Amino acid sequence: MRIHIKFSLALIILLSVILNGIPNNSFERIARAQANSATVTYDPVTTIITNPERGFLHTYSPCESDLFDLATLQNYRAAEHISLVLCNFYLTNFKTSAISQTTLNTLQTQLNTIRSAGLKVVLRFSYTSTDNVDASLAQILSHIDQLAPILQSNNDVIYVWQAGFIGQWGEWYYTNHFGDQGVISAQQWADRKAVVEKMLQALPSTRMVSLRAPFYKRTMYQAAAITPEQAFNGSAISRIGQFNDAFVSSPDDMGTYTDISEEYPWLDAETAFLPMGGENNTWAPPRTNCTTALEEMERFHWSYINTDYLETTISNWNSQGCLDTMKKKLGYRFTLIEGTYPDAAQTGSGMDIHISIRNDGFATPINPRPGELILRNSSSGEIYHLPLKSDPRFWAAGVTTTIQETILLPTNIPAGSYELLLNLPDAEDTLNSRPEYSIQLANASTWEPATGFNNLFHTISISAGIPTTFGDVPFDHPLHDYIEALYQAGYTAGCSTDPLMYCPDTILDRAQSAVFMLRGQMGSTYSPPPAPWDTFADDWTGFEWAEPWAEGMWQEGLTAGCQPSPLMYCPATQLPRVEASVFGLRMKYGVNYTPPAGTGTLFADMTDTSYWGIGWAEQAYQDGLLPACGTDSGTGKPLFCPSELVDRAWGAYLIVKAKNIPLP
């Protein structure tokens, strides 16, 4: 581990201010907020790490009768680096009846033991292991209704729910109700999808199910892979992964694949954000050899595989020398590269951190996994949790992710010296403080097994800062004075009252703009008209508070709506800089103001004089209502960025300038 000291330079700060259009009167505050920083370089390790929700797993089948033993499960963690078990819970005696309370109690007992041992479960329900006789659709749906309360109250220890129920072993192939041996009618496809949909409904939206083969999801949902934008959004397609219980067992993995030219690229993209695991069931070299097994585990982002089956395959992987590689790389493996942290910071101010972390595993976490910095007082041991915005589920395999954030230090932190640590705990309250459910980084000497924290080997001296009005607008925020002036003038009460927050990074929409516009025109004490508010035909769901303000805009002649027929206000429409120019200039000069014709010579990115907004943009810039967003490297002219959206911080700046509100 190496530490380098870095010093901030006023010249660099000033250059950033000028190029990014931040008001120069904020320069002194920005410069004062900078502190010496240190860069720490971390040493990686090559050992096998026991981390949650990844790796080899042991299988318990039949799980409804083969009860878990706490000491055995604990030994899996301690001696084998195993944090997962597969529970294939057979409902053989209930193909035509409700699940008995005794059996439901057994399931609860199994999940309790898993939790006590610090493990998680890959869960599957099946009706048969010997033939194709399963349950009807109606019976399966009824059983899922019975299981739902248990699954919901124990979702903390469910890693993924495999879509069993149908067919022998719950693998969807040999079935007497849903299309036997791949001969599936349209109705049977609909019935299969109904089972999946019922499973998704029975789980919290943060948990996923897995299907046995790609063509099931591609047939029932869509042939296109999910995109990064769709990942983890709670939709059905973002919650359905895969499992392969014939991994590298034949050229098509015994029917798992129907067309690898289409399914391989699809699976590659899907499993970047969805679970993938399973087992091998046949030793079939050369496909089963280490070379292909590792290639496909990496390509398809494998997170877990059965260590109990096939024993011959596991033994051969060991003799070929790849078993330890699998144990290290299945799922995620996060390794710190370096971090840059300030030596000193003030409460109520932002603390800049820069962390580089590489994922040396095959996959990423697929369940919610918060990240947070920990400040631990060097004397008292008191701990403060500082949430990070970066989501570990997007720390992609084989990629180095940069976490660069400014973290607001709460004002209730006492002055003193603090150790800095990184915590990646489980998202569930029941497991959040248990170290065995936190992620250990693959670095030398960073892990604290008693706390589940990763020591970043840096100490920060924290002193009391200047109190601020809004908890999310520190004193060193570039637009602090403008937001404070807006508040003191009565134009805003913030975005929340307990605690008092301003939400400076939230993009302004037409709903929020109505409040600013009316108070700018009518005075800070203005209140909107009482009901009825029947001018606009919008659906105001989620914007109920804004409807009277929109009505006030109409009555005062400040808006013509966003469309005439039917007359709509469009409260959710966000505000770009060119429209903010209109907003600011009419606030300054009155609702009937029209700017001079635009010249097309002021901005490098606004040269078309026929564009409706050019005159507004030029006048707003000349009046100081909005600064340039940058400088064109070729011409040296300023850029206006007319379509760039305006956040609430810049909205405060615009209003203060337009109304000539004095700064504090």
Side-chain angles (χ1 to χ4, degrees):
M1 180 179 64
R2 298 181 297 278
I3 300 177
H4 308 282
I5 305 298
K6 292 185 177 179
F7 300 92
S8 57
L9 300 176
L11 180 60
I12 295 176
I13 298 169
L14 180 58
L15 180 61
S16 173
V17 168
I18 294 171
L19 290 179
N20 290 287
I22 296 175
N24 287 334
N25 68 329
S26 295
F27 164 68
E28 290 184 6
R29 178 177 302 104
I30 298 171
R32 287 198 305 272
Q34 304 304 306
N36 295 345
S37 62
T39 296
V40 184
T41 303
Y42 301 94
D43 298 324
V45 295
T46 59
T47 53
I48 299 168
I49 297 173
T50 310
N51 261 329
E53 302 185 334
R54 58 154 302 276
F56 278 83
L57 57 72
H58 279 294
T59 299
Y60 279 68
S61 180
C63 188
E64 76 285 356
S65 57
D66 187 4
L67 296 183
F68 293 123
D69 174 70
L70 178 60
T72 300
L73 296 192
Q74 291 172 330
N75 191 59
Y76 290 162
R77 284 189 55 87
E80 300 181 48
H81 303 289
I82 283 177
S83 66
L84 286 171
V85 289
L86 187 146
C87 171
N88 196 345
F89 201 99
Y90 280 91
L91 302 172
T92 306
N93 296 329
F94 309 105
K95 294 179 183 179
T96 58
S97 64
I99 304 170
S100 70
Q101 187 60 49
T102 299
T103 300
L104 294 174
N105 292 343
T106 297
L107 175 61
Q108 181 63 66
T109 298
Q110 295 285 62
L111 295 173
N112 288 344
T113 306
I114 291 168
R115 183 182 297 103
S116 297
L119 274 62
K120 291 205 176 188
V121 66
V122 176
L123 189 60
R124 190 195 306 181
F125 295 93
S126 309
Y127 292 99
T128 177
S129 62
T130 59
D131 53 34
N132 73 341
V133 182
D134 46 26
S136 68
L137 173 63
Q139 191 66 72
I140 292 174
L141 298 184
S142 177
H143 284 168
I144 295 175
D145 282 334
Q146 283 189 273
L147 294 167
I150 296 176
L151 301 179
Q152 290 169 5
S153 61
N154 293 274
N155 78 91
D156 58 344
V157 293
I158 297 174
Y159 170 57
V160 67
W161 189 9
Q162 293 183 345
F165 294 106
I166 297 173
Q168 188 177 17
W169 308 298
E171 291 193 30
W172 283 41
Y173 188 68
Y174 301 104
T175 165
N176 71 333
H177 283 97
F178 296 88
D180 194 45
Q181 300 184 55
V183 182
I184 306 169
S185 69
Q187 183 58 54
Q188 289 164 336
W189 275 117
D191 292 347
R192 288 173 181 242
K193 185 174 182 179
V195 172
V196 177
E197 291 289 316
K198 192 71 169 180
M199 292 177 67
L200 292 173
Q201 293 169 16
L203 284 175
S205 62
T206 56
R207 286 298 183 268
M208 301 187 181
V209 303
S210 288
L211 296 174
R212 175 59 185 85
F215 75 93
Y216 292 134
K217 183 176 182 181
R218 287 166 59 86
T219 300
M220 293 186 296
Y221 289 91
Q222 62 181 38
I226 66 167
T227 65
E229 293 73 26
Q230 294 170 322
F232 312 116
N233 68 3
S235 64
I237 61 170
S238 73
R239 297 177 59 202
I240 300 173
Q242 299 289 311
F243 70 98
N244 180 356
D245 278 358
F247 177 60
V248 292
S249 295
S250 74
D252 64 356
D253 286 357
M254 297 188 171
T256 299
Y257 302 111
T258 59
D259 183 351
I260 63 172
S261 66
E262 290 189 2
E263 291 169 336
Y264 267 33
W266 178 87
L267 194 62
D268 185 350
E270 281 268 303
T271 53
F273 308 106
L274 291 163
M276 184 70 200
E279 66 184 19
N280 168 268
N281 64 4
T282 301
W283 177 251
R287 176 161 171 75
T288 323
N289 288 337
C290 277
T291 299
T292 301
L294 286 175
E295 286 176 353
E296 297 210 356
M297 281 183 175
E298 180 175 16
R299 180 173 184 181
F300 302 133
H301 307 99
W302 275 63
S303 284
Y304 67 92
I305 194 167
N306 189 359
T307 191
D308 298 321
Y309 196 77
L310 185 68
E311 291 183 2
T312 299
T313 299
I314 302 300
S315 176
N316 287 337
W317 282 345
N318 187 38
S319 63
Q320 289 183 10
C322 67
L323 189 63
D324 278 358
T325 300
M326 294 175 180
K327 290 180 179 180
K328 295 173 186 176
K329 295 174 75 71
L330 279 165
Y332 56 86
R333 184 182 177 92
F334 295 139
T335 305
L336 283 169
I337 307 302
E338 69 173 26
T340 300
Y341 321 105
D343 293 328
Q346 291 183 334
T347 58
S349 297
M351 179 179 70
D352 294 332
I353 59 102
H354 184 289
I355 300 174
S356 296
I357 187 165
R358 185 179 64 244
N359 185 351
D360 294 317
F362 294 143
T364 64
I366 55 97
N367 291 324
R369 176 70 55 171
E372 59 183 15
L373 287 181
I374 300 293
L375 289 177
R376 185 168 61 198
N377 190 286
S378 301
S379 300
S380 68
E382 188 74 20
I383 287 173
Y384 296 88
H385 299 259
L386 307 176
L388 294 170
K389 295 178 182 177
S390 186
D391 187 340
R393 295 177 297 179
F394 289 96
W395 299 354
V399 173
T400 297
T401 296
T402 298
I403 305 169
Q404 188 164 351
E405 298 185 19
T406 299
I407 299 172
L408 180 67
L409 291 181
T411 56
N412 66 338
I413 299 180
S417 177
Y418 289 82
E419 299 173 88
L420 190 63
L421 307 99
L422 179 64
N423 188 26
L424 301 172
D426 197 281
E428 297 298 321
D429 291 342
T430 52
L431 307 178
N432 187 266
S433 61
R434 291 183 58 177
E436 62 265 55
Y437 289 104
S438 290
I439 291 177
Q440 176 181 350
L441 302 177
N443 293 97
S445 305
T446 54
W447 178 243
E448 294 186 354
T451 64
F453 302 157
N454 296 273
N455 198 318
L456 296 177
F457 296 110
H458 185 72
T459 301
I460 299 175
S461 177
I462 294 179
S463 58
I466 300 173
T468 60
T469 298
F470 294 105
D472 56 352
V473 184
F475 181 72
D476 59 351
H477 190 289
L479 299 173
H480 169 276
D481 285 358
Y482 295 89
I483 296 169
E484 187 70 22
L486 197 71
Y487 175 75
Q488 292 180 8
Y491 285 86
T492 182
C495 62
S496 70
T497 57
D498 189 18
L500 186 58
M501 308 286 272
Y502 182 75
C503 304
D505 299 327
T506 299
I507 300 300
L508 270 177
D509 53 35
R510 285 173 56 87
Q512 299 172 64
S513 299
V515 180
F516 288 141
M517 189 72 176
L518 282 165
R519 286 188 170 160
Q521 289 293 331
M522 311 303 295
S524 60
T525 60
Y526 173 84
S527 295
W533 312 298
D534 51 12
T535 298
F536 297 106
D538 300 81
D539 177 0
W540 292 92
T541 303
F543 290 90
E544 292 86 354
W545 65 269
E547 189 171 6
W549 292 93
E551 190 73 23
M553 289 280 285
W554 174 262
Q555 291 181 11
E556 300 299 335
L558 299 178
T559 185
C562 63
Q563 71 174 44
S565 182
L567 184 61
M568 306 279 280
Y569 183 76
C570 305
T573 300
Q574 295 177 318
L575 197 69
R577 281 168 57 93
V578 67
E579 292 184 19
S581 299
V582 181
F583 168 69
L585 287 168
R586 286 189 167 165
M587 182 177 289
K588 181 176 182 178
Y589 295 114
V591 295
N592 296 318
Y593 175 79
T594 300
T599 65
T601 61
L602 181 55
F603 298 113
D605 58 344
M606 295 186 76
T607 58
D608 182 1
T609 56
S610 65
Y611 175 55
W612 72 267
I614 192 167
W616 293 97
E618 290 183 355
Q619 192 63 44
Y621 176 76
Q622 290 169 346
D623 281 10
L625 304 189
L626 281 174
C629 62
T631 303
D632 181 66
S633 59
T635 64
K637 289 184 176 182
L639 298 168
F640 188 76
C641 308
S643 60
E644 185 176 288
L645 297 176
V646 177
D647 61 29
R648 285 172 55 89
W650 279 109
Y653 175 81
L654 176 74
I655 297 166
V656 167
K657 287 289 190 178
K659 301 303 293 183
N660 198 27
I661 300 171
L663 297 180

